[in-house]
Amino acid sequence: MDATPLPSESPYANPRDLSPFREVETWIFDLDNTLYPSHTNLFAEVDQRIGDYVAKLLDMERDAAHHLQKDYYRRYGTTLRGLMIEHDINPDGFLEFVHDIDHSKVQADPRLADAIAALPGRRFIMTNGTVAHAKAVAERLGVHQHFEDIFDIVAADLIPKPAADTYTRFWDQYGIDPARAAMFEDLSRNLEVPHSRGMRTVLVVPEGTREVFREAWELEGRTAPHVEYVTDDLPVFLERIVAEHAAPANVPQPPAR
């Protein structure tokens, strides 16, 4: 019986040979706007609470606080890092406040769960958020049980991606060979260091939803040399990788689209 053909992604995703994924033994996923689509707007709630925190902390009008929040995010990797450097805040209260959100809007994604479970090797979540937030999201999606661990901002000693030392800390902690690993991210800049160390890099940018609350700079870099693959449908892309692993080595698979 012929296998059911895999559906195509939209033309937004770039076609490319998936055979390099045959060498991958560790799969690393960002959380927000990567494992779940940005149109869920879950991170928009976190974003709103970050702005509220900045406004209250610095006694600023909401618009000014939002501008400062985004400035710190861009310059320091996270607003928290900027607040720690510029205002010497204690991070615990910030992390607890901004992640105190309703996770119920995240819906289970059985197709994503099956695709992640089928990936050969180890699987991790690496996030600039907290373990509690990542676990809540992953449990809602139905994927939590398929990951070996969650490496969060606390494990990173509060130094966020894209800092090179944070990736090194992560790789060293779990004994990961970057040359045999793949990274899935929604921000191009967070793929630059992984690519420089030989990782397969995948930018996840759902078509038609990315402008909802993203800053212009967050959308840049989709054609940068350190972005090897772009997809607008993570489950479909992972299914293609799984199919690539299952196929005989001498039988090329159709390019991802």
Side-chain angles (χ1 to χ4, degrees):
M1 180 181 295
D2 292 337
T4 302
L6 294 173
S8 295
E9 299 163 295
S10 83
Y12 177 77
N14 60 323
R16 184 167 291 189
D17 174 26
L18 295 178
S19 60
F21 286 98
R22 286 178 175 268
E23 304 302 317
V24 172
E25 58 188 20
T26 306
W27 311 86
I28 304 156
F29 294 82
D30 176 50
L31 179 76
D32 292 307
N33 301 321
T34 299
L35 280 179
Y36 64 86
S38 56
H39 67 254
T40 302
N41 278 347
L42 185 70
F43 192 72
E45 290 192 27
V46 176
D47 192 68
Q48 174 71 35
R49 291 184 69 79
I50 293 173
D52 292 344
Y53 187 96
V54 172
K56 183 176 181 179
L57 175 72
L58 302 179
D59 193 22
M60 302 176 72
E61 294 293 332
R62 188 63 178 76
D63 287 348
H66 177 79
H67 178 78
L68 185 65
Q69 166 194 352
K70 294 303 181 179
D71 177 58
Y72 285 173
Y73 176 35
R74 182 169 189 171
R75 287 197 286 134
Y76 295 109
T78 60
T79 305
L80 171 60
R81 187 67 180 166
L83 290 172
M84 291 174 63
I85 291 172
E86 301 283 349
H87 304 281
D88 197 28
I89 73 162
N90 184 307
D92 295 339
F94 174 93
L95 291 171
E96 181 178 358
F97 178 83
V98 304
H99 292 110
D100 183 17
I101 61 173
D102 178 12
H103 291 88
S104 65
K105 63 176 59 180
V106 179
Q107 300 299 309
D109 191 338
R111 188 171 186 177
L112 176 65
D114 289 345
I116 290 174
L119 293 171
R122 307 165 73 195
R123 310 170 207 102
F124 296 89
I125 293 173
M126 183 183 186
T127 175
N128 282 343
T130 64
V131 165
H133 172 59
K135 183 177 179 182
V137 171
E139 287 179 343
R140 293 287 305 177
L141 286 168
V143 302
H144 181 256
Q145 68 273 24
H146 302 313
F147 288 98
E148 180 174 325
D149 208 351
I150 298 169
F151 184 88
D152 74 341
I153 192 65
V154 177
D157 198 26
L158 302 172
I159 301 174
K161 298 177 288 184
D165 287 349
T166 292
Y167 294 96
T168 299
R169 179 188 293 263
F170 169 67
W171 295 326
D172 289 349
Q173 179 170 326
Y174 297 105
I176 294 170
D177 177 2
R180 298 182 65 84
M183 184 85 186
F184 298 79
E185 261 282 354
D186 71 306
L187 292 179
S188 173
R189 71 177 187 177
N190 289 351
L191 294 173
E192 189 167 357
V193 171
H195 177 75
S196 72
R197 293 291 301 275
M199 293 179 72
R200 305 280 69 78
T201 57
V202 183
L203 185 67
V204 181
V205 188
E207 175 70 355
T209 64
R210 61 192 182 278
E211 289 87 359
V212 175
F213 63 90
R214 310 299 293 274
E215 298 288 306
W217 67 266
E218 295 178 86
L219 309 178
E220 296 170 351
R222 293 192 293 270
T223 60
H226 59 266
V227 176
E228 295 182 329
Y229 300 85
V230 179
T231 181
D232 63 355
D233 191 323
L234 181 58
V236 167
F237 191 85
L238 296 180
E239 287 169 356
R240 291 186 176 280
I241 290 174
V242 171
E244 177 67 38
H245 272 270
N250 61 345
V251 178
Q253 294 297 294
R257 293 189 296 163

